[in-house]
Amino acid sequence: MTSPATDAPRTLHKTISSHKGAVNVVRYAKGAAKYGLSGGRDRLIKLWNRETAMEIKTYSGHGYEVLCLDVAHDNTKFASCGGDRIAYVWDVTSGETIRRFHGHAGRINVVALNADSSVLASGSYDSTVRLWDLRSQSRQAIQTLDDARDSIMSVHVGPTEIITGSVDGYVRSYDIRKGQLNSDLIGFPVSSIQPTDDSLSLLIGTLDSTIRLMDRANGAMLNTFKGHVNKDYSTKTCFGYGQASVICGDEEGRIWSWDLLTATPMGTQPPPKVHEKVITWVEHHPSSSGDMLTASADGTVKIWRSS
């Protein structure tokens, strides 16, 4: 987190309008790959070129809306989930599903792969997180985390831990090696979590129109970021380039950006409205500066660059 904070990319590069209805998630392919993936209410997942916005492939198989995607480290497969209570794993090239994991009693809000894509975590409206072994042919979850008292909205799978955010207002960290659980009460429904690269801090988006940066060692709040409107919809919050800034989209269709250290909003205040409806997902490229994706309930994905 040594890079100077820069505003979110705000020059529109391309708009993708091929989904019918709300787009709930948009993700980058890993590494230098010039592709993106999006999923939406139309039950479809689309692969497209980030430079040209040309659609490459459509993946169909979901019976209900697609809510989350996660791409494998080598871009050969990706996981998806949604309203049909099934976690899917897809082969990118063939477009076929490799695995389908059943077991949740409600819609699955989030899927997350570990670093080598050997374990898939799925978090559900049924208040549980289930872990699936992708190297085994077993269809049973290898572990179920059932400590939450309300819907799971966000999951991070690290090398030795799993972090979850729930509507019950808690962030829970599970140390897999030690079998220990650490719970931090945030006090408002948690819709988004993302740890810093050093895992010392956690960025937490909550449905009280607040984003918090929490010290993971003691649970202290290092900073709070405000101005955006986020009370009713799950919206993804992320770090900007070099993890020097915080970025989120809000329910008014605005993209907000703050300096991580000072919590000072950057750019025009308030930011311009760039989507017609709530921005459901925002993601800055993990290694390239000035490269960002947004998805919205207005049915579009937008690719942003720094001018």
Side-chain angles (χ1 to χ4, degrees):
M1 294 188 293
T2 56
S3 307
T6 54
D7 191 16
R10 296 188 184 274
T11 300
L12 183 61
H13 174 64
K14 296 285 182 181
T15 300
I16 297 170
S17 304
S18 56
H19 282 283
K20 292 179 173 63
V23 185
N24 296 319
V25 55
V26 60
R27 303 302 307 265
Y28 285 98
K30 296 296 167 65
K34 298 292 185 184
Y35 306 109
L37 277 166
S38 54
R41 189 169 293 167
D42 58 7
R43 304 176 293 182
L44 300 176
I45 299 160
K46 293 179 180 289
L47 176 74
W48 31 267
N49 184 297
R50 290 189 356 252
E51 294 299 323
T52 64
M54 290 290 291
E55 187 176 313
I56 300 164
K57 203 171 193 68
T58 296
Y59 304 84
S60 59
H62 276 277
Y64 294 82
E65 67 176 327
V66 179
L67 294 173
C68 188
L69 301 166
D70 199 19
V71 183
H73 65 294
D74 58 3
N75 290 323
T76 61
K77 56 183 180 280
F78 65 88
S80 68
C81 67
D84 39 14
R85 307 180 185 184
I86 305 168
Y88 294 76
V89 181
W90 303 78
D91 180 86
V92 169
T93 305
S94 73
E96 301 297 320
T97 53
I98 307 168
R99 307 289 297 274
R100 297 187 183 198
F101 295 109
H102 301 253
H104 283 291
R107 71 169 184 265
I108 304 175
N109 296 316
V110 56
V111 282
L113 292 158
N114 68 339
D116 68 359
S117 307
S118 61
V119 175
L120 174 67
S122 55
S124 170
Y125 183 77
D126 68 10
S127 306
T128 70
V129 175
R130 293 171 191 257
L131 307 181
W132 313 92
D133 186 349
L134 300 189
R135 294 170 300 190
S136 163
Q137 288 307 306
S138 171
R139 297 184 178 183
Q140 301 300 313
I142 53 176
Q143 192 170 354
T144 300
L145 310 175
D146 58 1
D147 302 280
R149 293 293 168 260
D150 209 330
S151 184
I152 301 289
M153 299 304 296
S154 192
V155 174
H156 171 79
V157 183
T160 62
E161 67 175 353
I162 294 169
I163 311 170
T164 70
S166 170
V167 173
D168 68 9
Y170 278 89
V171 168
R172 294 176 174 88
S173 301
Y174 298 85
D175 187 313
I176 301 301
R177 290 181 302 186
K178 297 178 182 176
Q180 293 178 342
L181 165 62
N182 185 63
S183 300
D184 291 289
L185 177 61
I186 310 303
F188 297 92
V190 177
S191 62
S192 176
I193 55 172
Q194 184 181 352
T196 50
D197 288 340
D198 59 15
S199 294
L200 297 178
S201 306
L202 187 68
L203 192 67
I204 305 166
T206 48
L207 296 185
D208 62 336
S209 300
T210 306
I211 301 166
R212 297 164 172 83
L213 185 68
M214 184 184 78
D215 186 326
R216 299 195 58 209
N218 57 19
M221 296 303 158
L222 302 173
N223 244 335
T224 56
F225 309 89
K226 294 192 175 191
H228 61 297
V229 177
N230 183 202
K231 295 179 180 179
D232 300 312
Y233 295 91
S234 173
T235 59
K236 180 74 166 64
T237 298
C238 70
F239 291 108
Y241 178 66
Q243 296 200 329
S245 61
V246 173
I247 303 172
C248 84
D250 77 358
E251 293 171 11
E252 296 181 340
R254 307 177 194 274
I255 299 169
W256 292 76
S257 176
W258 300 265
D259 184 299
L260 180 75
L261 298 179
T262 66
T264 305
M266 293 188 283
T268 307
Q269 298 304 310
K273 183 174 180 175
V274 295
H275 279 283
E276 291 303 310
K277 295 182 179 179
V278 56
I279 297 175
T280 51
W281 199 283
V282 59
E283 186 157 307
H284 192 284
H285 194 280
S287 56
S288 299
S289 63
D291 190 341
M292 186 178 72
L293 304 172
T294 56
S296 171
D298 66 11
T300 66
V301 169
K302 294 190 177 184
I303 305 167
W304 303 89
R305 300 285 162 82
S306 292
S307 56

